[in-house]
Amino acid sequence: MEFLTSPFDWWIEPFVDNIFMRNALWSGLLAVLATSTVGTWVVLRGMSFFGEALAHGVLPGLAIAFIIGGDTTLGALIAALVMVTGINLIRNHSPLPDDSSIGLLYVGFLALAVVIMSTSSGAYAGDLSRFLFGSITGVTDSDLIRQLIIAGVVLLGVIILHRAFLVMTFDEVQARLMGLQPRLAHAALLALLAVSIVASFQAVGNLLVFAFLVAPPSTAAMLARRIPTIMVFAAVLGSVAVIVGLLISYHHDTAAGATMALGTVVLFLIALAIRSFTGAHNVRMVT
């Protein structure tokens, strides 16, 4: 119970005395900012499966960049944008439903990553595990600057395209009649999603970024009625998971990324239990 008996030593001192913890904190908060804003639209539009697929779809870009000694963030971004483009092409030219096209590319990209990492050139790709599970305590100042820029781009995009996303989410026909070009807006949302995932994999890892993308917005959607409020609540809940997860990891030597991701799920379960206990069902969304 040290977090109660010695609150300063448990809650504050790790961030004051340890620069790696401070960098990890900023990295986690920037990851939350990017994923919570775009993740709100992912949850409201029922695109969680796409978010999971895209989180895995960056792996080939990571593997190739790692093997050739290139920038892994750039490699991940290129792979994500290629996957987004592929899904849009299949969506527009194939009679298959969206989940089929997403599933096909998901399997294809994941298999390609495994093939690349199993070659002789990828024999030393074991270090890629830090991209799969995160290495938040190894974040550098240049990583933070990159995350800050990407989070800013995502936030700006969500603000500019808010009206288009809003109408497209609840009435795509109305969006078309209003001249908002729902297909173009959908492609922009996918691009912002790809960028937010790339901005976050350094913090919580490629395999765990999905938790940040879905859990905080899902929790916030049970607590708030207006979409901007949901985004704010999601960012706050994600930040709580980052801070508590980092501290638990620091004091108990657990995996930081996994502990933070688990925290987002625990917060969701707590909110769900409270909502069930108080009988707050069928909350009407106010746009």
Side-chain angles (χ1 to χ4, degrees), residues 169-271:
T169 297
F170 296 101
D171 193 339
E172 188 167 328
V173 175
Q174 181 66 25
R176 192 175 297 108
L177 292 174
M178 294 173 63
L180 294 176
Q181 299 182 333
R183 284 190 176 183
L184 184 60
H186 181 74
L189 177 60
L190 298 189
L192 289 175
L193 176 58
V195 171
S196 68
I197 287 174
V198 170
S200 307
F201 75 81
Q202 175 74 20
V204 294
N206 174 268
L207 296 179
L208 298 171
V209 69
F210 181 64
F212 265 24
L213 192 66
V214 174
S218 297
T219 307
M222 295 191 296
L223 304 174
R225 300 172 63 191
R226 298 182 61 85
I227 291 176
T229 309
I230 292 175
M231 291 182 178
V232 173
F233 277 17
V236 171
L237 291 167
S239 298
V240 170
V242 166
I243 294 170
V244 175
L246 279 175
L247 289 170
I248 291 175
S249 172
Y250 178 83
H251 291 293
H252 300 286
D253 198 26
T254 60
T259 306
M260 291 186 295
L262 181 60
T264 65
V265 178
V266 170
L267 288 174
F268 172 81
L269 295 175
I270 292 173

Side-chain angles (χ1 to χ4, degrees), residues 113-160:
V114 173
V115 169
I116 292 171
M117 287 186 281
S118 66
T119 63
S120 57
S121 299
Y124 297 99
D127 288 341
L128 277 171
S129 61
R130 73 187 184 95
F131 296 114
L132 297 175
F133 302 104
S135 182
I136 195 169
T137 53
V139 171
T140 64
D141 291 340
S142 60
D143 293 327
L144 288 176
I145 293 174
R146 185 184 296 116
Q147 273 192 271
L148 179 61
I149 293 172
I150 295 178
V153 169
V154 171
L155 188 60
L156 183 62
V158 167
I159 292 173
I160 292 174

